[in-house]
Amino acid sequence: MNRLIIVLLVGLLWGCSGDDSPKLGNNANNANNINNVNNVNNVNNSNNANNVNNSNNANNSNNSNNSNNMTDMGQDMADMGSDMAMVLRGTCVRDEDCPNGTCGRLPDIDGGFRTCVNKVEDPAPPCELDQLGNECCSSQTDCTAEPMGQCTFGPIFYCGGVAPRERNICVYGECTDESDCGRQLGGVCVPAGAFGEPASICVYGDCLTNGDCTNGTNGSCNPFYNPCNRRFVGFHCTYDESDCRSDQDCPPRGGLGTPYCSPGNDGMTTCESFIPPP
């Protein structure tokens, strides 16, 4: 009886031991599975980190490219601004702006004043030779007394007083370029057709381009005109400190004459009133 009890106890103990062993094995497998999951997570985290880094690198690369593009764009805008500043000195930009001629520069250098150089037309009215100064020319081939002859309808640039008789007259050019106008600063050869001139003429001022005007703030080399007949007389420097830069800056003075801007030394312009002769 006792031996039977012992055998039964041993069997029970063995059965318990058999049940526990598989449980321990499952726990080990579970532990391995947990480690594998952790490893996968670590790999995923590593990949995510790499992706973040790659994304950051891509963003940095894009930012660098954008920065370079903005730098290039800024330089292009600066160059454009410089070009526009150069072009806007004058009354035309291209030949298409001048239906009766071409857009020229006075003088023909960088920064020269742009203006239309129109074709000089032969006079239309017929003429008869008389003793009153009518030269009866009809084209430039009739004006050969001097070089660069041009036949035009006169008078030209009439300014007050007794009006001269209208007639065909020969006029003759003074220059072909600035070298014919002396070596002093501000000498400009105005070609036939520019500023209404029927033949080339030398005019004198104190500058040729804005770069010559350095005695004040925001210097500019502006055209000035005879207040009586609006004939171009030369380029002169003007500054922010100047009384005026053009005739438009001079207000009327109680009806006493026509206001105009008169050039002065070192940009010291003044607003004056012109009263035409009777």
Side-chain angles (χ1 to χ4, degrees):
M1 184 65 177
N2 291 333
R3 291 180 65 184
L4 179 59
I5 294 172
I6 291 171
V7 171
L8 291 173
L9 289 173
V10 170
L12 290 171
L13 291 172
W14 181 260
C16 291
S17 176
D19 291 338
D20 287 341
S21 294
K23 291 179 180 179
L24 291 175
N26 289 336
N27 289 337
N29 289 334
N30 290 337
N32 289 333
N33 290 336
I34 291 172
N35 288 334
N36 290 335
V37 170
N38 289 336
N39 289 336
V40 171
N41 289 336
N42 289 335
V43 170
N44 289 335
N45 290 336
S46 176
N47 289 335
N48 290 336
N50 289 334
N51 289 335
V52 171
N53 288 334
N54 290 334
S55 177
N56 289 336
N57 290 335
N59 288 335
N60 289 335
S61 177
N62 289 334
N63 289 337
S64 177
N65 290 333
N66 289 337
S67 177
N68 291 335
N69 290 337
M70 289 299 293
T71 299
D72 293 342
M73 186 183 298
Q75 185 60 49
D76 290 342
M77 291 297 290
D79 293 342
M80 184 184 299
S82 177
D83 292 342
M84 288 300 292
M86 193 74 72
V87 166
L88 290 177
R89 182 174 180 259
T91 57
C92 63
V93 176
R94 56 186 67 85
D95 290 344
E96 288 76 7
D97 299 328
C98 305
N100 296 321
T102 59
C103 182
R105 292 186 303 185
L106 300 182
D108 190 16
I109 59 175
D110 288 343
F113 187 88
R114 290 182 177 270
T115 187
C116 289
V117 180
N118 296 317
K119 180 182 178 182
V120 178
E121 302 289 347
D122 292 327
C127 67
E128 295 179 2
L129 188 63
D130 55 34
Q131 297 179 351
L132 299 176
N134 196 335
E135 297 176 73
C136 200
C137 60
S138 58
S139 70
Q140 64 183 42
T141 57
D142 296 330
C143 302
T144 58
E146 299 178 27
M148 296 182 283
Q150 177 66 49
C151 180
T152 190
F153 186 68
I156 57 172
F157 298 107
Y158 162 69
C159 178
V162 178
R165 181 173 178 267
E166 293 182 348
R167 63 194 190 279
N168 291 5
I169 59 175
C170 286
V171 291
Y172 297 91
E174 297 179 358
C175 56
T176 57
D177 57 36
E178 279 66 44
S179 63
D180 296 328
C181 300
R183 297 185 178 277
Q184 67 191 76
L185 178 64
V188 176
C189 179
V190 179
F195 292 107
E197 292 291 346
S200 62
I201 186 175
C202 289
V203 298
Y204 299 92
D206 57 22
C207 60
L208 297 179
T209 69
N210 291 344
D212 297 326
C213 302
T214 59
N215 293 331
T217 307
N218 294 327
S220 61
C221 183
N222 292 354
F224 282 77
Y225 305 87
N226 185 314
C228 182
N229 54 25
R230 302 299 298 165
R231 191 175 196 176
F232 173 61
V233 296
F235 295 111
H236 293 269
C237 288
T238 64
Y239 305 96
D240 287 348
E241 297 84 1
S242 302
D243 191 23
C244 54
R245 289 182 183 265
S246 68
D247 294 345
Q248 287 70 30
D249 296 330
C250 298
R253 297 185 175 183
L256 298 176
T258 303
Y260 72 100
C261 184
S262 176
N265 294 330
D266 295 329
M268 293 298 101
T269 60
T270 56
C271 283
E272 306 288 348
S273 291
F274 173 77
I275 300 177

